[in-house]
Amino acid sequence: MYIIGENIHIISPKVKEAIAARDGAFFVDLARKQVQNGAKALEWARKSLATAPSAAAYALQGEILAAQGQCAAALPLFDAALKLDPDDAAARQGR
């Protein structure tokens, strides 16, 4: 599953216009372009965790899974992040 959202913000004039026009096709096209250009947040988080385990990497993967509705799978990742850094804000918020 891909997490899409980069470049979708209200300060972009094109996004602002698409929202005002309720142009769903604009957002579908933007999401497709993002996937084609590598918007693979969960894959990146897993690679980061495998390369250099850190509280931030565990918390990021937990946040992604939680955003996908996979909260049960996210909890052990938040716990692992908190074991490495009990003050990690993202892990504390996710937990």
Side-chain angles (χ1 to χ4, degrees):
M1 176 172 227
Y2 299 116
I3 299 296
I4 307 300
E6 297 90 351
N7 298 323
I8 299 178
H9 46 77
I10 196 68
I11 60 173
S12 165
K14 290 181 182 180
V15 170
K16 201 173 199 177
E17 290 170 14
I19 290 171
R22 297 182 182 266
D23 184 359
F26 171 85
F27 293 101
V28 169
D29 182 56
L30 185 57
R32 284 188 179 130
K33 288 178 182 174
Q34 289 179 15
V35 170
Q36 291 169 355
N37 289 317
K40 301 177 183 179
L42 184 56
E43 180 182 328
W44 290 345
R46 287 184 175 146
K47 285 181 182 179
S48 175
L49 191 55
T51 303
S54 67
Y58 279 111
L60 176 60
Q61 190 172 345
E63 289 176 310
I64 294 165
L65 290 173
Q68 293 176 347
Q70 299 180 47
C71 297
L75 287 176
L77 294 162
F78 291 130
D79 290 340
L82 291 170
K83 284 182 183 176
L84 292 176
D85 180 0
D87 296 323
D88 186 278
R92 293 180 73 167
Q93 183 176 4
R95 188 68 181 109

